[in-house]
Amino acid sequence: MPREARAQALDYQRLTFEHERSPDQDAAAPVRHPVVVVGAGPVGLALAIDLAQREVPVVLLDNDHTLSTGSRAICFAKRTLEVCDRLGVGQRMVDKGVSWSRGRVFFRDQEVYPFDLLPETGHQRPAFINLQQYYVEGYLAERAAALPGIDVRWKHKVVGVDNRADGVLLTVQTPDGEYRLQADHVAACDGSRSAVRQLLGLESQGRVFRDRFLIADVKMAFDHPAERWFWFDPPFHPGQSVLLHKQPDNVWRIDFQLGWDADPEVEKRPENIIPRVKALLGDKVEFELEWASVYTFACQRMARFRHRRVLFAGDSAHGVSPFGARGANSGVQDAENLAWKLAAVLRGEAGDALLDSYAHEREFAADENIRNSSRSTDFITPKSEVSRLFRDAVLQLARQHGFARRLVNSGRLSVPCTLSASALTTPDRDAFDAPVVPGAAALDAPVRRGDGSAGWLLRELGPDFTVLVYDGDDALTAELRRAADGLTRSTVLRIGSAPGADLHDEQGLVAQRYGLAGGGVVLLRPDHHVCARWRRPHGDDLRAALKRALARA
C-alpha cells in the first residue's frame, strides 16, 4: 500500500493492491471478528476507518484490487467534508478538490438565474468540492492502511452468507481458494449490485427512470469559473439538458441527456462524443477526451436496512439519481451513523435496539433523498407534453419572478437529514429560536481556543457525546460531568461569550446558530447530530437524554 508521502505521484485510476493470504484461511475453525465490512468503496472505507478510530477491530473485504475509474461521484458536500475531517482525509480532499458554492441555470440561450448554496460566512468548509471519486477512495485507502485496527483484504469475494441470530458466517472466495469467517456484525457496503443482498435473497424496490445520460470527462485549458452550470433545452443540445462541472487537473465533467432510445455503446464512441462537446465549447477550444460512460438510474431502496446481524449502507441499501449529489454523500452519512452505534453496542454501552435506530434513521433519510431526487428527475426529464410545457413556463417566469425560481429543479443539492422524529432525540421543553434544532446536524462556527489560537467548533468536538455548555458556571459544569459518569463516553465543553472558557465564541455565531445564552446546554451525539438542548438543565435531564440517545430509555 502506498504512503501519503508518495500520493502526489500516484495515478489512482491505475493503482492495484496486492492480494495477501490471510491467517484466517489456515485456521482450524472460522475465526470470529467483531465487525466485517464488505466493499472497499467510499462508504465501506469510511465505515472501517471510523470504527478503527473508535478502537473497534475491522476486517474489510473487497472482491477487486483496484479503485474506481472516471469521475463518477464528484460533488462532495460540506457535511461529507466535515465527516472526512474526522476520518483524517478532509484537508487532503479540500486541497485537491475544486471548491464551489455558486451555480447558474440556463434555459435555451439565456441565463435564468444564479444561486449561492452558502451565502453566509463563518464555516470552515465550502458548500461543495468537486473531486473525482478515485481520489477520495485513494485517500481513504491510504488512511485505512495507516490504522492498525483495519485488516484490508483485497480480492476476497463474499460468496456465502449465513445470517444467524448470534452472528454471521461468511464464505469468502480468494485466488488461494475459499475460507470461512465469523462476525458479530456485517456491514454490507458493496454497492448497487450488492452480492450480500443477493445472497440473502433481498432486493431494492422503487422507480426506474427511462432515460440515458452521457458522462464525458474532458481535459482542457478552459477559462470558466468554478460554478455548476445547468442548461435546459440549450441550442447546442436541443430538447435535452446539459450539466457542466469543473474538476481538478484541468478536467471538466459534462453530462449530456440522451433520451431512452439512445444506444449506450454507440454514444460512448469518441466520434459521437466529440461533436457534442464541440457544440458546447466551440471549435476554438482544444480538449482531450479522458473518460466516458452512459448511465441510467433508479430511485429505490431496500424495505429494511437491517436484517439480524447484517446492516446495509450506501448504494447497497438505496439508490438515487445523480442530480443533487445525494448518492455518495448520503452513503458517507450512513457510515457515520452506523459506526458510533456499532462501537457503543460492542462496548456494552447500548443494547441491540440502538442498531435498529440506524435502520430507522437512515431509511428516513433515504426516503427524503429519493423524494428530492425523483422530483429533480421529473423536472429535468418531463415525461409528457403537459409536463414539458409546465417546466418551460416555470423557467421563463423564473427570469423575473422569485416565486418561480423555487419551482425550478435542476437537482436539489445534498444536505444532511434532520432526525427530529428519531426515537433517540429528546423533544424540546424550552423555547428556542435557532437554525439548529434537535435532530439536525451541528453547524460550524469560528471559535478561539483557551490558548488564544483560532479554531472551528466542529474540529473541537471529539468522537464521543459532547455536552456544550454556554456561559455555564462551575457548579453546572460539574453537575453535568457527574451525570454522564459510568453511562457512556462523553466530554463537557465550555463555550463562553468572553475569554476564559474552553472555547471563546468571539463572533457570537455559536450563540446565534444554536440559540444559546447563559447556562444553555446542547447535547451532541458522536455523529454530531443534536439530540437534546435546554435553557438550563439539571444532571438528571442530561442523564435521561443520554440514555434515550443510546436507545436505553
Side-chain angles (χ1 to χ4, degrees), residues 75-120:
C75 295
F76 293 92
K78 177 177 179 290
R79 172 67 173 167
T80 299
L81 296 174
E82 291 162 353
V83 174
C84 288
D85 280 334
R86 300 196 284 280
L87 301 180
V89 299
Q91 191 60 50
R92 292 187 74 191
M93 291 172 62
V94 172
D95 289 345
K96 182 64 179 178
V98 175
S99 298
W100 65 278
S101 64
R102 292 181 56 82
R104 298 178 187 275
V105 176
F106 299 86
F107 180 45
R108 295 177 181 149
D109 59 350
Q110 293 187 348
E111 181 176 340
V112 179
Y113 65 91
F115 60 85
D116 192 337
L117 297 171
L118 192 64
E120 65 179 11

mmCIF file of all heavy atoms in Angstrom, residues 75-120:
data_model
loop_
_atom_site.group_PDB
_atom_site.id
_atom_site.type_symbol
_atom_site.label_atom_id
_atom_site.label_comp_id
_atom_site.label_asym_id
_atom_site.label_seq_id
_atom_site.Cartn_x
_atom_site.Cartn_y
_atom_site.Cartn_z
ATOM 1 N N CYS A 75 -19.252 15.380 -6.580
ATOM 2 C CA CYS A 75 -19.669 16.508 -5.737
ATOM 3 C C CYS A 75 -19.764 16.062 -4.288
ATOM 4 O O CYS A 75 -20.664 15.294 -3.928
ATOM 5 C CB CYS A 75 -21.009 17.060 -6.208
ATOM 6 S SG CYS A 75 -20.965 17.800 -7.843
ATOM 7 N N PHE A 76 -18.847 16.536 -3.469
ATOM 8 C CA PHE A 76 -18.846 16.166 -2.059
ATOM 9 C C PHE A 76 -19.240 17.385 -1.232
ATOM 10 O O PHE A 76 -18.619 18.441 -1.306
ATOM 11 C CB PHE A 76 -17.479 15.614 -1.662
ATOM 12 C CG PHE A 76 -17.196 14.293 -2.339
ATOM 13 C CD1 PHE A 76 -16.536 14.259 -3.554
ATOM 14 C CD2 PHE A 76 -17.650 13.108 -1.795
ATOM 15 C CE1 PHE A 76 -16.309 13.058 -4.204
ATOM 16 C CE2 PHE A 76 -17.433 11.896 -2.433
ATOM 17 C CZ PHE A 76 -16.761 11.865 -3.643
ATOM 18 N N ALA A 77 -20.298 17.204 -0.448
ATOM 19 C CA ALA A 77 -20.942 18.308 0.255
ATOM 20 C C ALA A 77 -20.194 18.676 1.525
ATOM 21 O O ALA A 77 -19.378 17.913 2.056
ATOM 22 C CB ALA A 77 -22.381 17.930 0.577
ATOM 23 N N LYS A 78 -20.512 19.856 2.022
ATOM 24 C CA LYS A 78 -19.902 20.374 3.250
ATOM 25 C C LYS A 78 -19.991 19.362 4.389
ATOM 26 O O LYS A 78 -19.028 19.130 5.113
ATOM 27 C CB LYS A 78 -20.608 21.675 3.626
ATOM 28 C CG LYS A 78 -20.145 22.321 4.928
ATOM 29 C CD LYS A 78 -20.861 23.636 5.138
ATOM 30 C CE LYS A 78 -20.448 24.302 6.437
ATOM 31 N NZ LYS A 78 -20.968 23.572 7.626
ATOM 32 N N ARG A 79 -21.148 18.749 4.561
ATOM 33 C CA ARG A 79 -21.325 17.777 5.643
ATOM 34 C C ARG A 79 -20.376 16.585 5.467
ATOM 35 O O ARG A 79 -19.776 16.112 6.434
ATOM 36 C CB ARG A 79 -22.782 17.310 5.671
ATOM 37 C CG ARG A 79 -23.074 16.157 6.619
ATOM 38 C CD ARG A 79 -22.906 16.554 8.070
ATOM 39 N NE ARG A 79 -23.347 15.496 8.961
ATOM 40 C CZ ARG A 79 -23.098 15.446 10.253
ATOM 41 N NH1 ARG A 79 -22.418 16.432 10.827
ATOM 42 N NH2 ARG A 79 -23.526 14.449 10.999
ATOM 43 N N THR A 80 -20.234 16.107 4.247
ATOM 44 C CA THR A 80 -19.322 14.994 3.991
ATOM 45 C C THR A 80 -17.884 15.396 4.274
ATOM 46 O O THR A 80 -17.105 14.606 4.828
ATOM 47 C CB THR A 80 -19.471 14.519 2.538
ATOM 48 O OG1 THR A 80 -20.815 14.070 2.340
ATOM 49 C CG2 THR A 80 -18.510 13.391 2.216
ATOM 50 N N LEU A 81 -17.503 16.619 3.927
ATOM 51 C CA LEU A 81 -16.150 17.094 4.215
ATOM 52 C C LEU A 81 -15.900 17.151 5.715
ATOM 53 O O LEU A 81 -14.803 16.824 6.186
ATOM 54 C CB LEU A 81 -15.934 18.467 3.584
ATOM 55 C CG LEU A 81 -15.993 18.522 2.055
ATOM 56 C CD1 LEU A 81 -15.904 19.965 1.576
ATOM 57 C CD2 LEU A 81 -14.895 17.672 1.431
ATOM 58 N N GLU A 82 -16.920 17.533 6.473
ATOM 59 C CA GLU A 82 -16.770 17.577 7.929
ATOM 60 C C GLU A 82 -16.620 16.178 8.507
ATOM 61 O O GLU A 82 -15.838 15.964 9.446
ATOM 62 C CB GLU A 82 -17.969 18.319 8.530
ATOM 63 C CG GLU A 82 -17.963 19.803 8.188
ATOM 64 C CD GLU A 82 -19.305 20.496 8.361
ATOM 65 O OE1 GLU A 82 -20.317 19.801 8.638
ATOM 66 O OE2 GLU A 82 -19.367 21.732 8.226
ATOM 67 N N VAL A 83 -17.348 15.218 7.948
ATOM 68 C CA VAL A 83 -17.161 13.824 8.362
ATOM 69 C C VAL A 83 -15.746 13.370 8.016
ATOM 70 O O VAL A 83 -15.060 12.735 8.826
ATOM 71 C CB VAL A 83 -18.201 12.908 7.686
ATOM 72 C CG1 VAL A 83 -17.921 11.445 7.998
ATOM 73 C CG2 VAL A 83 -19.611 13.273 8.125
ATOM 74 N N CYS A 84 -15.302 13.701 6.816
ATOM 75 C CA CYS A 84 -13.967 13.282 6.377
ATOM 76 C C CYS A 84 -12.860 13.964 7.172
ATOM 77 O O CYS A 84 -11.759 13.408 7.302
ATOM 78 C CB CYS A 84 -13.807 13.525 4.879
ATOM 79 S SG CYS A 84 -14.777 12.368 3.876
ATOM 80 N N ASP A 85 -13.116 15.147 7.707
ATOM 81 C CA ASP A 85 -12.160 15.750 8.634
ATOM 82 C C ASP A 85 -11.930 14.825 9.822
ATOM 83 O O ASP A 85 -10.797 14.613 10.261
ATOM 84 C CB ASP A 85 -12.683 17.105 9.140
ATOM 85 C CG ASP A 85 -12.470 18.232 8.153
ATOM 86 O OD1 ASP A 85 -11.536 18.147 7.342
ATOM 87 O OD2 ASP A 85 -13.250 19.206 8.196
ATOM 88 N N ARG A 86 -13.013 14.261 10.347
ATOM 89 C CA ARG A 86 -12.893 13.365 11.499
ATOM 90 C C ARG A 86 -12.218 12.048 11.112
ATOM 91 O O ARG A 86 -11.623 11.389 11.972
ATOM 92 C CB ARG A 86 -14.268 13.114 12.113
ATOM 93 C CG ARG A 86 -14.942 14.390 12.595
ATOM 94 C CD ARG A 86 -16.090 14.114 13.519
ATOM 95 N NE ARG A 86 -17.289 13.654 12.869
ATOM 96 C CZ ARG A 86 -18.170 14.432 12.246
ATOM 97 N NH1 ARG A 86 -17.936 15.742 12.175
ATOM 98 N NH2 ARG A 86 -19.268 13.939 11.700
ATOM 99 N N LEU A 87 -12.314 11.676 9.845
ATOM 100 C CA LEU A 87 -11.674 10.446 9.381
ATOM 101 C C LEU A 87 -10.208 10.658 9.013
ATOM 102 O O LEU A 87 -9.496 9.692 8.739
ATOM 103 C CB LEU A 87 -12.428 9.888 8.170
ATOM 104 C CG LEU A 87 -13.903 9.542 8.380
ATOM 105 C CD1 LEU A 87 -14.497 9.011 7.087
ATOM 106 C CD2 LEU A 87 -14.086 8.549 9.514
ATOM 107 N N GLY A 88 -9.777 11.922 8.970
ATOM 108 C CA GLY A 88 -8.372 12.213 8.705
ATOM 109 C C GLY A 88 -8.024 12.485 7.264
ATOM 110 O O GLY A 88 -6.835 12.543 6.913
ATOM 111 N N VAL A 89 -9.028 12.689 6.390
ATOM 112 C CA VAL A 89 -8.734 12.939 4.973
ATOM 113 C C VAL A 89 -9.388 14.206 4.453
ATOM 114 O O VAL A 89 -9.245 14.539 3.273
ATOM 115 C CB VAL A 89 -9.170 11.740 4.095
ATOM 116 C CG1 VAL A 89 -8.418 10.478 4.488
ATOM 117 C CG2 VAL A 89 -10.679 11.519 4.153
ATOM 118 N N GLY A 90 -10.108 14.930 5.285
ATOM 119 C CA GLY A 90 -10.856 16.099 4.827
ATOM 120 C C GLY A 90 -9.977 17.169 4.210
ATOM 121 O O GLY A 90 -10.305 17.737 3.158
ATOM 122 N N GLN A 91 -8.848 17.466 4.841
ATOM 123 C CA GLN A 91 -7.996 18.536 4.318
ATOM 124 C C GLN A 91 -7.403 18.155 2.972
ATOM 125 O O GLN A 91 -7.286 19.003 2.078
ATOM 126 C CB GLN A 91 -6.879 18.859 5.318
ATOM 127 C CG GLN A 91 -6.113 20.135 4.984
ATOM 128 C CD GLN A 91 -7.018 21.372 4.946
ATOM 129 O OE1 GLN A 91 -7.783 21.606 5.895
ATOM 130 N NE2 GLN A 91 -6.960 22.128 3.869
ATOM 131 N N ARG A 92 -7.025 16.894 2.807
ATOM 132 C CA ARG A 92 -6.497 16.456 1.520
ATOM 133 C C ARG A 92 -7.547 16.619 0.424
ATOM 134 O O ARG A 92 -7.234 17.022 -0.702
ATOM 135 C CB ARG A 92 -6.058 14.991 1.591
ATOM 136 C CG ARG A 92 -4.860 14.720 2.463
ATOM 137 C CD ARG A 92 -4.411 13.278 2.328
ATOM 138 N NE ARG A 92 -3.739 13.030 1.056
ATOM 139 C CZ ARG A 92 -3.445 11.822 0.594
ATOM 140 N NH1 ARG A 92 -3.787 10.746 1.274
ATOM 141 N NH2 ARG A 92 -2.810 11.683 -0.557
ATOM 142 N N MET A 93 -8.779 16.296 0.743
ATOM 143 C CA MET A 93 -9.845 16.432 -0.240
ATOM 144 C C MET A 93 -10.050 17.890 -0.642
ATOM 145 O O MET A 93 -10.193 18.211 -1.827
ATOM 146 C CB MET A 93 -11.142 15.839 0.313
ATOM 147 C CG MET A 93 -11.116 14.328 0.450
ATOM 148 S SD MET A 93 -12.562 13.658 1.301
ATOM 149 C CE MET A 93 -13.895 14.144 0.183
ATOM 150 N N VAL A 94 -10.064 18.776 0.354
ATOM 151 C CA VAL A 94 -10.263 20.201 0.066
ATOM 152 C C VAL A 94 -9.081 20.767 -0.710
ATOM 153 O O VAL A 94 -9.254 21.556 -1.644
ATOM 154 C CB VAL A 94 -10.506 20.982 1.372
ATOM 155 C CG1 VAL A 94 -10.526 22.484 1.114
ATOM 156 C CG2 VAL A 94 -11.818 20.548 2.015
ATOM 157 N N ASP A 95 -7.878 20.368 -0.323
ATOM 158 C CA ASP A 95 -6.684 20.875 -1.015
ATOM 159 C C ASP A 95 -6.676 20.466 -2.489
ATOM 160 O O ASP A 95 -6.274 21.243 -3.357
ATOM 161 C CB ASP A 95 -5.416 20.350 -0.338
ATOM 162 C CG ASP A 95 -5.175 20.982 1.023
ATOM 163 O OD1 ASP A 95 -5.808 22.015 1.322
ATOM 164 O OD2 ASP A 95 -4.370 20.426 1.799
ATOM 165 N N LYS A 96 -7.113 19.262 -2.775
ATOM 166 C CA LYS A 96 -7.090 18.773 -4.152
ATOM 167 C C LYS A 96 -8.333 19.190 -4.926
ATOM 168 O O LYS A 96 -8.272 19.442 -6.136
ATOM 169 C CB LYS A 96 -6.982 17.234 -4.156
ATOM 170 C CG LYS A 96 -6.903 16.614 -5.553
ATOM 171 C CD LYS A 96 -5.643 17.041 -6.286
ATOM 172 C CE LYS A 96 -5.547 16.415 -7.660
ATOM 173 N NZ LYS A 96 -4.363 16.840 -8.413
ATOM 174 N N GLY A 97 -9.471 19.264 -4.267
ATOM 175 C CA GLY A 97 -10.734 19.497 -4.939
ATOM 176 C C GLY A 97 -10.920 20.937 -5.407
ATOM 177 O O GLY A 97 -10.171 21.841 -5.043
ATOM 178 N N VAL A 98 -11.936 21.118 -6.219
ATOM 179 C CA VAL A 98 -12.350 22.443 -6.689
ATOM 180 C C VAL A 98 -13.534 22.884 -5.826
ATOM 181 O O VAL A 98 -14.615 22.292 -5.888
ATOM 182 C CB VAL A 98 -12.754 22.409 -8.171
ATOM 183 C CG1 VAL A 98 -13.294 23.767 -8.610
ATOM 184 C CG2 VAL A 98 -11.569 21.994 -9.034
ATOM 185 N N SER A 99 -13.321 23.906 -5.003
ATOM 186 C CA SER A 99 -14.381 24.379 -4.103
ATOM 187 C C SER A 99 -15.363 25.259 -4.858
ATOM 188 O O SER A 99 -14.968 26.067 -5.711
ATOM 189 C CB SER A 99 -13.781 25.167 -2.933
ATOM 190 O OG SER A 99 -12.924 24.354 -2.156
ATOM 191 N N TRP A 100 -16.645 25.112 -4.523
ATOM 192 C CA TRP A 100 -17.648 25.964 -5.163
ATOM 193 C C TRP A 100 -18.891 26.057 -4.294
ATOM 194 O O TRP A 100 -19.174 25.186 -3.473
ATOM 195 C CB TRP A 100 -18.021 25.449 -6.557
ATOM 196 C CG TRP A 100 -18.711 24.110 -6.575
ATOM 197 C CD1 TRP A 100 -18.130 22.886 -6.517
ATOM 198 C CD2 TRP A 100 -20.123 23.876 -6.647
ATOM 199 N NE1 TRP A 100 -19.075 21.897 -6.546
ATOM 200 C CE2 TRP A 100 -20.311 22.482 -6.641
ATOM 201 C CE3 TRP A 100 -21.245 24.709 -6.723
ATOM 202 C CZ2 TRP A 100 -21.582 21.894 -6.697
ATOM 203 C CZ3 TRP A 100 -22.507 24.123 -6.788
ATOM 204 C CH2 TRP A 100 -22.665 22.737 -6.776
ATOM 205 N N SER A 101 -19.615 27.130 -4.472
ATOM 206 C CA SER A 101 -20.922 27.292 -3.816
ATOM 207 C C SER A 101 -21.937 27.920 -4.774
ATOM 208 O O SER A 101 -23.127 27.882 -4.504
ATOM 209 C CB SER A 101 -20.798 28.166 -2.557
ATOM 210 O OG SER A 101 -20.397 29.487 -2.892
ATOM 211 N N ARG A 102 -21.447 28.502 -5.870
ATOM 212 C CA ARG A 102 -22.332 29.200 -6.792
ATOM 213 C C ARG A 102 -22.647 28.331 -8.012
ATOM 214 O O ARG A 102 -21.881 27.449 -8.396
ATOM 215 C CB ARG A 102 -21.705 30.523 -7.262
ATOM 216 C CG ARG A 102 -21.589 31.569 -6.162
ATOM 217 C CD ARG A 102 -20.990 32.853 -6.682
ATOM 218 N NE ARG A 102 -21.743 33.408 -7.809
ATOM 219 C CZ ARG A 102 -22.844 34.138 -7.686
ATOM 220 N NH1 ARG A 102 -23.339 34.390 -6.490
ATOM 221 N NH2 ARG A 102 -23.462 34.602 -8.754
ATOM 222 N N GLY A 103 -23.782 28.608 -8.606
ATOM 223 C CA GLY A 103 -24.181 27.921 -9.824
ATOM 224 C C GLY A 103 -25.076 28.815 -10.664
ATOM 225 O O GLY A 103 -25.519 29.880 -10.222
ATOM 226 N N ARG A 104 -25.338 28.380 -11.882
ATOM 227 C CA ARG A 104 -26.195 29.131 -12.800
ATOM 228 C C ARG A 104 -27.107 28.160 -13.533
ATOM 229 O O ARG A 104 -26.716 27.039 -13.858
ATOM 230 C CB ARG A 104 -25.359 29.937 -13.808
ATOM 231 C CG ARG A 104 -24.461 30.977 -13.162
ATOM 232 C CD ARG A 104 -23.602 31.725 -14.168
ATOM 233 N NE ARG A 104 -22.652 32.581 -13.487
ATOM 234 C CZ ARG A 104 -22.911 33.809 -13.059
ATOM 235 N NH1 ARG A 104 -24.116 34.338 -13.242
ATOM 236 N NH2 ARG A 104 -22.001 34.519 -12.437
ATOM 237 N N VAL A 105 -28.329 28.629 -13.779
ATOM 238 C CA VAL A 105 -29.318 27.849 -14.515
ATOM 239 C C VAL A 105 -29.642 28.587 -15.809
ATOM 240 O O VAL A 105 -29.876 29.808 -15.791
ATOM 241 C CB VAL A 105 -30.597 27.651 -13.672
ATOM 242 C CG1 VAL A 105 -31.667 26.919 -14.478
ATOM 243 C CG2 VAL A 105 -30.287 26.879 -12.388
ATOM 244 N N PHE A 106 -29.661 27.867 -16.922
ATOM 245 C CA PHE A 106 -29.932 28.444 -18.233
ATOM 246 C C PHE A 106 -31.143 27.740 -18.860
ATOM 247 O O PHE A 106 -31.361 26.540 -18.652
ATOM 248 C CB PHE A 106 -28.727 28.265 -19.165
ATOM 249 C CG PHE A 106 -27.474 28.935 -18.683
ATOM 250 C CD1 PHE A 106 -26.615 28.292 -17.801
ATOM 251 C CD2 PHE A 106 -27.150 30.217 -19.104
ATOM 252 C CE1 PHE A 106 -25.468 28.895 -17.356
ATOM 253 C CE2 PHE A 106 -25.993 30.837 -18.667
ATOM 254 C CZ PHE A 106 -25.147 30.179 -17.787
ATOM 255 N N PHE A 107 -31.896 28.504 -19.631
ATOM 256 C CA PHE A 107 -32.982 27.944 -20.438
ATOM 257 C C PHE A 107 -32.783 28.406 -21.873
ATOM 258 O O PHE A 107 -32.753 29.607 -22.156
ATOM 259 C CB PHE A 107 -34.338 28.396 -19.910
ATOM 260 C CG PHE A 107 -35.509 27.867 -20.678
ATOM 261 C CD1 PHE A 107 -35.587 26.532 -21.070
ATOM 262 C CD2 PHE A 107 -36.563 28.707 -21.029
ATOM 263 C CE1 PHE A 107 -36.673 26.048 -21.774
ATOM 264 C CE2 PHE A 107 -37.661 28.237 -21.740
ATOM 265 C CZ PHE A 107 -37.716 26.899 -22.123
ATOM 266 N N ARG A 108 -32.566 27.441 -22.734
ATOM 267 C CA ARG A 108 -32.236 27.721 -24.137
ATOM 268 C C ARG A 108 -30.965 28.577 -24.190
ATOM 269 O O ARG A 108 -29.922 28.123 -23.713
ATOM 270 C CB ARG A 108 -33.434 28.324 -24.855
ATOM 271 C CG ARG A 108 -34.589 27.295 -24.930
ATOM 272 C CD ARG A 108 -35.834 27.827 -25.558
ATOM 273 N NE ARG A 108 -36.868 26.773 -25.545
ATOM 274 C CZ ARG A 108 -38.161 27.002 -25.453
ATOM 275 N NH1 ARG A 108 -38.621 28.256 -25.382
ATOM 276 N NH2 ARG A 108 -39.016 25.993 -25.441
ATOM 277 N N ASP A 109 -31.014 29.786 -24.697
ATOM 278 C CA ASP A 109 -29.778 30.559 -24.846
ATOM 279 C C ASP A 109 -29.664 31.693 -23.837
ATOM 280 O O ASP A 109 -28.845 32.599 -24.003
ATOM 281 C CB ASP A 109 -29.678 31.122 -26.264
ATOM 282 C CG ASP A 109 -30.851 32.032 -26.613
ATOM 283 O OD1 ASP A 109 -31.829 32.067 -25.824
ATOM 284 O OD2 ASP A 109 -30.797 32.694 -27.669
ATOM 285 N N GLN A 110 -30.474 31.664 -22.764
ATOM 286 C CA GLN A 110 -30.444 32.752 -21.790
ATOM 287 C C GLN A 110 -30.251 32.213 -20.370
ATOM 288 O O GLN A 110 -30.739 31.130 -20.041
ATOM 289 C CB GLN A 110 -31.742 33.565 -21.842
ATOM 290 C CG GLN A 110 -31.939 34.332 -23.142
ATOM 291 C CD GLN A 110 -33.147 35.240 -23.077
ATOM 292 O OE1 GLN A 110 -33.965 35.150 -22.157
ATOM 293 N NE2 GLN A 110 -33.281 36.125 -24.055
ATOM 294 N N GLU A 111 -29.549 33.008 -19.540
ATOM 295 C CA GLU A 111 -29.432 32.653 -18.129
ATOM 296 C C GLU A 111 -30.755 32.949 -17.424
ATOM 297 O O GLU A 111 -31.340 34.024 -17.595
ATOM 298 C CB GLU A 111 -28.303 33.440 -17.464
ATOM 299 C CG GLU A 111 -28.118 33.091 -15.995
ATOM 300 C CD GLU A 111 -26.942 33.792 -15.343
ATOM 301 O OE1 GLU A 111 -26.029 34.251 -16.092
ATOM 302 O OE2 GLU A 111 -26.926 33.888 -14.103
ATOM 303 N N VAL A 112 -31.203 31.986 -16.615
ATOM 304 C CA VAL A 112 -32.440 32.171 -15.846
ATOM 305 C C VAL A 112 -32.123 32.881 -14.534
ATOM 306 O O VAL A 112 -32.720 33.897 -14.195
ATOM 307 C CB VAL A 112 -33.122 30.817 -15.592
ATOM 308 C CG1 VAL A 112 -34.394 31.008 -14.767
ATOM 309 C CG2 VAL A 112 -33.450 30.119 -16.905
ATOM 310 N N TYR A 113 -31.165 32.342 -13.779
ATOM 311 C CA TYR A 113 -30.754 32.992 -12.527
ATOM 312 C C TYR A 113 -29.503 32.305 -11.982
ATOM 313 O O TYR A 113 -29.233 31.146 -12.293
ATOM 314 C CB TYR A 113 -31.870 32.940 -11.470
ATOM 315 C CG TYR A 113 -32.222 31.549 -10.997
ATOM 316 C CD1 TYR A 113 -31.599 30.970 -9.894
ATOM 317 C CD2 TYR A 113 -33.197 30.798 -11.657
ATOM 318 C CE1 TYR A 113 -31.925 29.705 -9.466
ATOM 319 C CE2 TYR A 113 -33.539 29.528 -11.228
ATOM 320 C CZ TYR A 113 -32.884 28.985 -10.133
ATOM 321 O OH TYR A 113 -33.200 27.717 -9.721
ATOM 322 N N PRO A 114 -28.724 33.004 -11.146
ATOM 323 C CA PRO A 114 -27.612 32.395 -10.422
ATOM 324 C C PRO A 114 -28.083 31.996 -9.012
ATOM 325 O O PRO A 114 -29.131 32.445 -8.547
ATOM 326 C CB PRO A 114 -26.581 33.516 -10.349
ATOM 327 C CG PRO A 114 -27.428 34.748 -10.243
ATOM 328 C CD PRO A 114 -28.699 34.479 -11.031
ATOM 329 N N PHE A 115 -27.305 31.175 -8.317
ATOM 330 C CA PHE A 115 -27.635 30.824 -6.935
ATOM 331 C C PHE A 115 -26.351 30.626 -6.142
ATOM 332 O O PHE A 115 -25.278 30.397 -6.716
ATOM 333 C CB PHE A 115 -28.515 29.571 -6.856
ATOM 334 C CG PHE A 115 -27.897 28.330 -7.437
ATOM 335 C CD1 PHE A 115 -27.053 27.524 -6.678
ATOM 336 C CD2 PHE A 115 -28.162 27.945 -8.746
ATOM 337 C CE1 PHE A 115 -26.485 26.376 -7.199
ATOM 338 C CE2 PHE A 115 -27.597 26.798 -9.283
ATOM 339 C CZ PHE A 115 -26.757 26.009 -8.510
ATOM 340 N N ASP A 116 -26.475 30.726 -4.833
ATOM 341 C CA ASP A 116 -25.350 30.549 -3.914
ATOM 342 C C ASP A 116 -25.802 29.625 -2.798
ATOM 343 O O ASP A 116 -26.763 29.925 -2.077
ATOM 344 C CB ASP A 116 -24.896 31.891 -3.346
ATOM 345 C CG ASP A 116 -23.550 31.804 -2.622
ATOM 346 O OD1 ASP A 116 -23.192 30.702 -2.176
ATOM 347 O OD2 ASP A 116 -22.861 32.835 -2.518
ATOM 348 N N LEU A 117 -25.128 28.485 -2.645
ATOM 349 C CA LEU A 117 -25.527 27.470 -1.666
ATOM 350 C C LEU A 117 -25.000 27.751 -0.264
ATOM 351 O O LEU A 117 -25.426 27.115 0.687
ATOM 352 C CB LEU A 117 -25.044 26.091 -2.121
ATOM 353 C CG LEU A 117 -25.641 25.605 -3.444
ATOM 354 C CD1 LEU A 117 -24.928 24.348 -3.903
ATOM 355 C CD2 LEU A 117 -27.124 25.348 -3.291
ATOM 356 N N LEU A 118 -24.055 28.682 -0.112
ATOM 357 C CA LEU A 118 -23.527 29.009 1.209
ATOM 358 C C LEU A 118 -23.265 30.508 1.274
ATOM 359 O O LEU A 118 -22.123 30.970 1.283
ATOM 360 C CB LEU A 118 -22.232 28.223 1.486
ATOM 361 C CG LEU A 118 -21.715 28.239 2.930
ATOM 362 C CD1 LEU A 118 -22.697 27.570 3.873
ATOM 363 C CD2 LEU A 118 -20.361 27.556 3.014
ATOM 364 N N PRO A 119 -24.342 31.292 1.328
ATOM 365 C CA PRO A 119 -24.166 32.743 1.278
ATOM 366 C C PRO A 119 -23.599 33.337 2.553
ATOM 367 O O PRO A 119 -23.082 34.454 2.532
ATOM 368 C CB PRO A 119 -25.581 33.251 1.012
ATOM 369 C CG PRO A 119 -26.479 32.181 1.582
ATOM 370 C CD PRO A 119 -25.753 30.883 1.355
ATOM 371 N N GLU A 120 -23.685 32.621 3.691
ATOM 372 C CA GLU A 120 -23.200 33.180 4.945
ATOM 373 C C GLU A 120 -21.755 32.766 5.194
ATOM 374 O O GLU A 120 -21.280 31.730 4.709
ATOM 375 C CB GLU A 120 -24.078 32.726 6.107
ATOM 376 C CG GLU A 120 -24.037 31.228 6.384
ATOM 377 C CD GLU A 120 -24.913 30.833 7.555
ATOM 378 O OE1 GLU A 120 -25.708 31.674 8.009
ATOM 379 O OE2 GLU A 120 -24.798 29.685 8.007
#
